Every structure is written in structure tokens, then in C-alpha cells.
Amino acid sequence: MTFLPSSDRKHRRSPRAPLLPQKHAAAEPAEGGFDGASFSGAVFNLSTTIVGAGIMALPATLKQLGLIPGLAMIVLGAVLTNTSIDMILKFSRASKSPTYSAAAADAFGGAGRALLQSCIVVNNLGMLVVYMIIIGDVLSGTWSNWVHHTGVMEEWLGQHWWTSRAFLLLSTTLFVFAPLISFKRVDSLRYTSALSVGLAVVFVAITAGIAIIKLANGSITMPRLMPKLVDQTSFWKLFTTFPILVTAYICHHNENELKDPMQMKSIVRSSLTLCSAVYIATSFFGFLLFGDQTLDDVLANFDGDLGIPYSMILNDIVRISYGIHLMLVFPIVFFSLRLNLDGLLFPYAKIPIAFNNRRFYSVTAALMGFIFLGANFVPSIWDAFQFTGATAATSVGFIFPSAIALRDTHGVATKKDKVLSWIMILLAVSSSIVALSSDVYGFFNSDEGVGS
């Protein structure tokens, strides 16, 4: 056994301590999120975290699963997410742990905390890369099956170097993201959170309105109710939707905001109810509107004639409103990412990151550089979702909460808790393995098809 010098032991960050302090000297308290915020502000912050980029891939999951199984899976995802967060709150209260990672440390020690934080970092990095990919799609367009779907800047200004994807993403990073991620209090973003939720509702309302008008005039028909299975590949491809659904509901990385377990139950249920309604409406009307032509990023479908008056104006409103929504969600997720990465890299830090400007801005710059590069080189949001959803998101959302319940270091788990925990672990592990295997099989199968 290796013993740390007394000075190191004195300054090592306790595995039970929250990553963000409530107070530090005479400085203004740096809040992890809901502490000190109103109930409605807390609901908006959490809803903003949930309704992120995952919503754009949900219509494509209905294309894979069919209408009835797809909508059922969206509801099941909300139920399982609520169950896993209830477990986090219950065992955090029993262990007097102020955060999710502290509850993991209580159950599995410092290694458990470090592993959870690693998963949160990977998940949040993947999510933010997806956010930036979608913003790039909105501004500069994207390619799908050798067809170019134009972005709003290309439509307005034409194809030039200043409407290229790299330049527009760099400009967004410098002039939009940089100011927003410089806030050291997530509650400072409560107004942008409310606005971002409103923009998501605008997107859903316009999509629903267009679909209803086209359904009424008979220009579209009801989509497939069940999946289309033609061979073994199409069957296994159904499981690739699991990581998308997991990522759509992941909000456990807001663990620094789980301050009052009783209040948080109401906040979580209100947020999940709101988000489920938005998800169901978006998935249904998006799939109804585009059918089997639905793209992985449904925003890319809004680049042509929709068959109704003012199509191009509506296209621009839909894409711009959701692009701005993602820009406003970005700093909320980034806040947790920076916090957890700092906990991994600087466990011996004497001063929290919120009060150390050099560490704060160096970690921020490194993360933004990585996200920017990822958004320029990852080919599509489906690829990013597949990796993060089947690995880190599944671990953060289902495996860790279930493992903490099964560990039950304080003897508070009921038989129901343990049964639900085993069910969630088995579902998460088996679905993730099948999803990843299906992706690998599809990759090599497509290569063989090209080669032949």
C-alpha cells in the first residue's frame, strides 16, 4: 500500500465532496445548477439538457422501428430514466452524498467515482460534438447518399469560403460559444434555458402544423406502423436505435444539481413529462411528414419544397430556431463536462476550478478545441450517437445507478429496487452489445457490397 505525503493527503479532493463548492471564501457562490434557483428555472435547465440533439434523430428511429414500436420505446425510455434517477436520489440521500459521483464513490470508492466521471466526460463530449455537427448542417448543409442538402447560409449567400462548414463553425465557436461557456455559474444561463425550450416548442409546432396541413389535403399518408424486415441485416439494425433513445433522455450528468432529493423528484418528473411530449410530437410528425425519406438528422430534410405555401420561409424558421436552441443548450452541457474533466485531471487541486482562472480557461480551451475538431471530422450524428449512446450514456444512465442500488452499502434497497436494477443492467448491456455488433456487421457488410 502506498501512502501519500501528509501535504498531499491534506489537499486531495474528497471523493464525497461535490465538484463545485457552495461557497469559497468571500466569493460569490458558484452554483452547480438548481441550488438557489426557482422550481421553474430548475425544470427549464433540466429540460434544456434533455431536449438536445437526440430529438433530431428520433424521427429516424421511427423509420427503423415503425410508428407503434417507436413511440412505445420513447415512453419506455422516459420510464426507465425516471426509475434510474429515483435510484440515484434514494441512495444519495442514504449515503448523505451531495452528488451522483459522490454516491458512486460511497459504493465503489475513488475508482468508482473516477470511472463514472470518465463516462460523463465521454458522453458529454459526444453530445457536444453532435450539437456542433447539427449546427454545421443547419448553416452549411450536409451530404446524404451523394445528395447535398443545403444549409441556410449557402441558400442566402451562395457557396463561398465564408459559407464553408469549417469557417461557420469557427465563427460560431468564437462569437457564440466562447461567451456563453465563460460563465462560472450555470444558473446564470437560466434565461437562455427558458428561451431554448421555447425554440424547441416552435420547432415542434411548425413541424406538426406542416404535417397536419399535408395530411388534411391528402398529400401524405400515414407512415408504416411496424418495422420493415427484409433480411437479417434489417432485423439487427433495429437495435441500433437503442443508443439514440438512451442519449435522448440522458440528463444524469447534471449530478451536481441534485441538491434536494425530494424537490428533485418533482423537477425530474416535470421535465421528463415535458420532454416526452416534445419527443413524441417531433417523432410522430417528423416521420409522418417525410416517411421513409427521413434522414438521420431530420433538420436536413427541411431544405426543399414542402408542398405548401411559404415552404422556404418555414424551412428557414425551423432550421434556424433549432440551431439557436442547440447553441443555447451547448453551455449547459459544457458546464458539467468541464467540471467532471477537472475532477479527473486535478483531484489534488486546492482551489475549485471556478476560482482558478488559469485552470478554468485552459480546460475550457482544450475541450472546445477537441469538440471543434470532432464536429469537422465525424461524418454524421448517427455515428456519434452509436458510440456514445451504447457505451458512456448507457453506463451513466442505467448501469451505474443500478450497480449502486445492488451494492446497497447502507441497506436501504428493497427487493423491487434490486429486481429493477438487474432488469436495467441486462437490458442496457445486451442492447448495447447487439447495437455495437450490428454497427460493426453493417460496416463490413457495406464494404463487401462496395467491393463487389
Side-chain angles (χ1 to χ4, degrees):
M1 180 179 294
T2 302
F3 292 91
L4 295 173
S6 60
S7 59
D8 287 346
R9 291 200 304 269
K10 179 180 178 181
H11 297 300
R12 180 175 173 80
R13 180 180 288 149
S14 168
R16 293 173 56 82
L19 292 176
L20 260 186
Q22 297 307 307
K23 293 183 180 180
H24 184 266
E28 183 183 31
E31 296 178 19
F34 301 153
D35 184 25
S38 65
F39 179 88
S40 59
V43 171
F44 277 130
N45 271 353
L46 189 58
S47 299
T48 299
T49 304
I50 299 173
V51 182
I55 189 175
M56 293 298 102
L58 287 179
T61 65
L62 263 63
K63 182 178 75 170
Q64 295 289 343
L65 296 173
L67 187 64
I68 294 176
L71 295 178
M73 289 297 293
I74 291 174
V75 174
L76 178 61
V79 172
L80 291 176
T81 300
N82 184 68
T83 300
S84 65
I85 294 179
D86 277 350
M87 287 183 178
I88 295 172
L89 295 173
K90 178 176 181 177
F91 290 93
S92 295
R93 184 169 64 251
S95 61
K96 295 182 173 59
S97 300
T99 65
Y100 181 12
S101 58
D106 180 79
F108 302 104
R113 175 189 172 108
L115 183 58
L116 173 61
Q117 288 176 331
S118 299
C119 291
I120 293 174
V121 167
V122 172
N123 176 72
N124 287 17
L125 271 174
M127 288 176 64
L128 293 179
V129 167
V130 169
Y131 286 7
M132 197 172 277
I133 290 174
I134 294 178
I135 292 169
D137 292 348
V138 168
L139 297 177
S140 185
T142 185
W143 288 86
S144 177
N145 295 325
W146 305 104
V147 176
H148 182 62
H149 298 268
T150 58
V152 292
M153 299 304 292
E154 286 181 326
E155 291 177 0
W156 295 348
L157 303 176
Q159 292 188 349
H160 306 282
W161 65 266
W162 60 82
T163 60
S164 66
R165 188 182 194 89
F167 180 79
L168 290 173
L169 288 181
L170 179 61
S171 300
T172 302
T173 299
L174 294 177
F175 300 112
V176 179
F177 292 147
L180 291 176
I181 63 178
S182 296
F183 286 111
K184 297 182 180 181
R185 292 163 50 98
V186 74
D187 194 46
S188 301
L189 300 168
R190 61 187 179 276
Y191 300 114
T192 62
S193 298
L195 177 59
S196 69
V197 172
L199 290 171
V201 172
V202 168
F203 165 75
V204 174
I206 294 177
T207 304
I210 295 172
I212 291 171
I213 291 173
K214 297 193 69 175
L215 188 64
N217 63 27
S219 57
I220 57 174
T221 58
M222 285 297 293
R224 284 184 294 105
L225 299 181
M226 302 302 291
K228 184 179 180 181
L229 301 177
V230 295
D231 53 23
Q232 185 178 5
T233 302
S234 61
F235 171 75
W236 291 113
K237 195 173 182 180
L238 298 179
F239 291 90
T240 63
T241 60
F242 174 77
I244 311 298
L245 293 166
V246 171
T247 305
Y249 280 108
I250 199 73
C251 59
H252 306 66
H253 52 266
N254 273 11
E255 43 99 358
N256 291 289
E257 305 188 355
L258 307 182
K259 180 68 177 173
D260 181 349
M262 297 309 296
Q263 184 189 35
M264 277 305 303
K265 283 191 175 184
S266 299
I267 292 170
V268 168
R269 286 172 183 168
S270 298
S271 297
L272 287 176
T273 300
L274 172 63
C275 296
S276 297
V278 171
Y279 282 172
I280 289 172
T282 301
S283 303
F284 175 76
F285 289 113
F287 186 39
L288 177 64
L289 188 57
F290 299 111
D292 287 337
Q293 302 304 314
T294 304
L295 299 174
D296 294 344
D297 175 8
V298 73
L299 279 181
N301 285 107
F302 289 92
D303 72 328
D305 185 6
L306 298 174
I308 63 172
Y310 309 107
S311 287
M312 299 310 295
I313 295 176
L314 291 173
N315 281 337
D316 289 348
I317 293 174
V318 166
R319 289 183 291 177
I320 292 172
S321 65
Y322 210 83
I324 296 174
H325 163 79
L326 290 180
M327 293 178 187
L328 298 178
V329 174
F330 191 98
I332 303 288
V333 181
F334 190 91
F335 188 90
S336 175
L337 169 62
R338 178 172 53 208
L339 204 56
N340 282 279
L341 182 61
D342 179 70
L344 281 172
L345 297 180
F346 305 102
Y348 297 95
K350 302 176 184 179
I351 302 175
I353 187 173
F355 304 102
N356 186 318
N357 286 336
R358 177 180 295 180
R359 207 164 83 238
F360 181 88
Y361 290 111
S362 61
V363 170
T364 298
L367 287 173
M368 275 308 309
F370 182 89
I371 294 167
F372 177 79
L373 291 175
N376 279 280
F377 290 102
V378 175
S380 74
I381 65 171
W382 197 270
D383 296 316
F385 276 141
Q386 288 302 302
F387 173 72
T388 59
T391 54
T394 301
S395 299
V396 173
F398 300 115
I399 294 177
F400 265 101
S402 301
I404 291 171
L406 292 173
R407 182 78 167 176
D408 192 22
T409 54
H410 297 275
V412 297
T414 64
K415 184 177 181 180
K416 179 182 177 181
D417 291 332
K418 294 189 176 183
V419 171
L420 286 174
S421 297
W422 278 117
I423 291 174
M424 286 199 296
I425 287 177
L426 291 174
L427 282 175
V429 172
S430 59
S431 299
S432 294
I433 291 174
V434 173
L436 291 173
S437 301
S438 180
D439 284 336
V440 173
Y441 175 79
F443 175 78
F444 286 107
N445 191 51
S446 62
D447 281 353
E448 290 175 4
V450 173
S452 62

